Amino acid sequence: MGQIRKINNVYYIEFYARSLLYSQIAGDNLQQAQRLLAQVEEKIAGGEALTIARHIELPDFYDRFLSEAARQYSPKSVARFANTIKHFSSFVDGNFPQVHQLAQVTPVVIESYRFYLAKTQKVKIVNLSILLMRDILEFGIKLGFLNDNPSLHVHLLPWPKAQERKSTARYELAKQLLPKGVGLAKLSQLLKLPDISRAVYYSNLIPLSREDVYN
């Protein structure tokens, strides 16, 4: 049995078919959403699940991510994610108005966002924003709506030279995890950081590219 969700005055239907989660925009009318869900459920019952396209609209995806993040991360970290999503959404609306679904967020979109940020922001803010988007998009893989994380194909900017860090237990753990490609969200959990942005303290350990992780 599927269900209807409302996000920002827009209704979405969600349902499972072939043990996979599906999400579909249904407009701003509840009755219309109910009819659409009934039609989809009728298709599934009739064995037509393969004819249903699988995708998720960006507002629905972001809402799911933030709900999941609120259960795992500190309020400050969740606020960082929420602000990043708000800023990225504004950028996409203004520069890629055709992008409405998660699968349409390609490496080109992320690279354009990095270029856009670099015009006005310091390197640390640019890289932090891309790394936060990386964690957000990784959730899309977890849900099964993405096969690959598009942000991994975008290089970070070279970090500003930092002072030599003292070898503490936290630093040694970060030294083990970050070069292997562990995201900031997971790192902040393991290091018990009150704010995910503090992970930038270990910027000298963060690989600039996907190739750096595997080499």
Side-chain angles (χ1 to χ4, degrees):
M1 178 68 69
Q3 63 177 349
I4 297 173
R5 304 172 73 226
K6 186 178 182 182
I7 304 172
N8 297 329
N9 297 319
V10 177
Y11 291 98
Y12 297 82
I13 64 170
E14 61 179 39
F15 51 92
Y16 283 87
R18 297 175 290 156
S19 299
L20 297 172
L21 173 65
Y22 286 71
S23 175
Q24 188 173 331
I25 192 168
D28 58 2
N29 183 280
L30 177 58
Q31 287 71 34
Q32 179 181 331
Q34 290 170 334
R35 287 195 297 270
L36 180 60
L37 180 58
Q39 292 169 4
V40 167
E41 290 179 333
E42 186 177 347
K43 275 190 173 184
I44 294 172
E48 299 180 53
L50 289 174
T51 66
I52 303 172
R54 187 164 191 262
H55 57 74
I56 187 168
E57 301 288 323
L58 284 171
D60 189 7
F61 170 70
Y62 294 144
D63 185 70
R64 289 174 186 277
F65 171 81
L66 290 174
S67 295
E68 181 69 15
R71 290 192 284 269
Q72 297 190 48
Y73 311 122
S74 69
K76 285 187 177 180
S77 295
V78 175
R80 293 278 182 190
F81 280 124
N83 287 334
T84 299
I85 287 172
K86 183 178 180 181
H87 191 265
F88 179 71
S89 297
S90 177
F91 164 78
V92 170
D93 289 345
N95 295 272
F96 295 90
Q98 75 280 12
V99 173
H100 302 289
Q101 299 170 2
L102 180 60
Q104 294 175 302
V105 179
T106 63
V108 170
V109 174
I110 301 298
E111 188 165 16
S112 298
Y113 183 53
R114 186 199 63 183
F115 182 78
Y116 172 79
L117 288 168
K119 290 181 179 179
T120 58
Q121 302 296 329
K122 294 181 179 180
V123 170
K124 285 187 177 181
I125 297 298
V126 175
N127 286 350
L128 176 61
S129 299
I130 299 302
L131 289 168
L132 291 177
M133 284 304 304
R134 187 168 296 174
D135 279 323
I136 292 165
L137 294 169
E138 198 66 26
F139 185 64
I141 295 177
K142 180 180 178 181
L143 291 180
F145 288 101
L146 290 177
N147 294 319
D148 186 34
N149 190 325
S151 69
L152 286 174
H153 299 274
V154 177
H155 290 203
L156 300 179
L157 300 177
W159 294 98
K161 189 173 182 180
Q163 294 180 343
E164 188 174 345
R165 304 303 186 190
K166 292 182 179 180
S167 181
T168 63
R170 274 185 171 181
Y171 185 85
E172 290 303 316
L173 181 55
K175 191 174 180 179
Q176 293 178 33
L177 298 174
L178 287 172
K180 296 178 181 178
V182 172
L184 297 194
K186 185 65 176 178
L187 183 75
S188 68
Q189 278 185 312
L190 294 173
L191 299 188
K192 296 181 170 56
L193 301 178
D195 184 345
I196 193 171
S197 67
R198 293 194 180 185
V200 174
Y201 176 82
Y202 307 100
S203 60
N204 63 308
L205 302 174
I206 301 175
L208 295 180
S209 70
R210 190 176 204 169
E211 292 76 18
D212 293 337
V213 173
Y214 297 109
N215 292 331

